[in-house]
Amino acid sequence: MISTTDSHYYSLDIDTDFKKVPLTTIGLQVFPRSGKQYGFLYKLTKGQDFNTFPRLQMMRFKHDPKIAQRIFDEFHGGKDLFPDDILMNHWKACNRDKLVLSNRTVLANQVNNPGSSVDDLTHELENLGYEIRDYIPTFTKDELKEYYAAIKKGFWNEFCSRIYIPGDNGSILNALKSLPSDKRYKWAFEEGIPYTIDYNQGVVLKKFASCLK
């Protein structure tokens, strides 16, 4: 049976996008999905409706289940676009019975949205069905073993090999690749080493120190 489906697309303008509008590439992150999907991020203000943007167009097309199944199979059941992510798997495992968020997550969100208070964000999330708890998310021993096993299989080098740094002569990328041998960060790459974090190092750590400590 062939049905009709509506889809939406955003018409890029190379001359203005990324310069005059808050549109950016997601870029490669420690989360595999963005590197697989090559997505874009459009930063909206609170209450702004993306569906009203004039350059967001709707296209109606016929949906054939046989073609959809073929594409689904070609992407190996969607795994190519939504690969296993240890953080997502951990979050799903923690939320089997109820949607739970750490209050540290709310605080981190408030740091990025200084116009909203922690109480406002908490009430908004609770209205959406989330329960906010006072706890620090931690990985289980099995999850950490899975992570360190991936490191031993070359995860870090493979991750770095897909990073493009504009204007870099190779020194920045080489510095990233050498992090596992830096004694300050060995705990992140080798099992059994107590972690140490200097929250005065780097802009991001300073910004989110109150959420991470």
Side-chain angles (χ1 to χ4, degrees):
M1 179 179 177
I2 297 177
S3 60
T4 302
T5 305
D6 293 336
S7 182
H8 293 80
Y9 68 92
Y10 180 86
S11 180
L12 288 173
D13 185 337
I14 302 301
D15 294 328
T16 59
D17 286 328
F18 310 107
K19 297 178 182 178
K20 299 180 180 179
V21 297
L23 183 68
T24 62
T25 56
I26 294 176
L28 189 61
Q29 303 170 351
V30 292
F31 311 109
R33 177 175 170 181
S34 60
K36 294 285 187 180
Q37 295 181 327
Y38 302 99
F40 295 91
L41 175 69
Y42 198 109
K43 187 175 181 180
L44 300 175
T45 58
K46 188 173 182 179
Q48 194 172 10
D49 187 356
F50 188 65
N51 291 322
T52 62
F53 283 32
R55 285 165 58 194
L56 185 69
Q57 306 294 324
M58 185 186 78
M59 179 177 65
R60 180 160 292 178
F61 64 96
K62 292 182 178 179
H63 183 285
D64 189 328
K66 291 183 179 179
I67 297 176
Q69 185 63 48
R70 189 192 72 197
I71 296 173
F72 181 77
D73 294 338
E74 287 177 353
F75 283 99
H76 302 98
K79 289 184 178 180
D80 290 354
L81 296 178
F82 300 91
D84 282 339
D85 182 337
I86 187 173
L87 292 176
M88 179 58 72
N89 292 338
H90 175 80
W91 191 82
K92 287 181 178 178
C94 293
N95 288 273
R96 287 194 181 100
D97 302 319
K98 201 168 188 178
L99 293 173
V100 178
L101 290 176
S102 167
N103 60 342
R104 304 299 182 95
T105 302
V106 180
L107 183 57
N109 191 279
Q110 193 274 331
V111 172
N112 275 331
N113 298 277
S116 300
S117 69
V118 172
D119 287 340
D120 289 340
L121 292 171
T122 299
H123 292 320
E124 188 173 339
L125 288 167
E126 288 175 341
N127 289 335
L128 292 172
Y130 290 91
E131 179 182 338
I132 311 302
R133 294 181 184 173
D134 183 6
Y135 79 101
I136 300 176
T138 56
F139 287 125
T140 65
K141 290 182 179 180
D142 288 340
E143 288 170 334
L144 286 174
K145 284 185 177 180
E146 179 185 340
Y147 164 76
Y148 286 117
I151 291 293
K152 290 180 180 179
K153 291 179 181 179
F155 166 81
W156 184 248
N157 284 332
E158 194 274 333
F159 170 73
C160 291
S161 69
R162 293 185 287 123
I163 297 177
Y164 169 70
I165 305 174
D168 179 32
N169 61 4
S171 59
I172 299 177
L173 188 58
N174 288 333
L176 280 174
K177 289 181 178 180
S178 67
L179 283 182
S181 59
D182 189 320
K183 64 180 182 180
R184 294 173 297 175
Y185 307 109
K186 273 185 173 292
W187 59 267
F189 300 94
E190 294 183 21
E191 194 171 2
I193 300 177
Y195 78 89
T196 56
I197 301 176
D198 184 355
Y199 291 98
N200 292 317
Q201 291 274 345
V203 176
V204 176
L205 278 177
K206 287 182 180 179
K207 181 178 180 181
F208 292 98
S210 60
C211 315
L212 300 171
K213 289 182 179 179

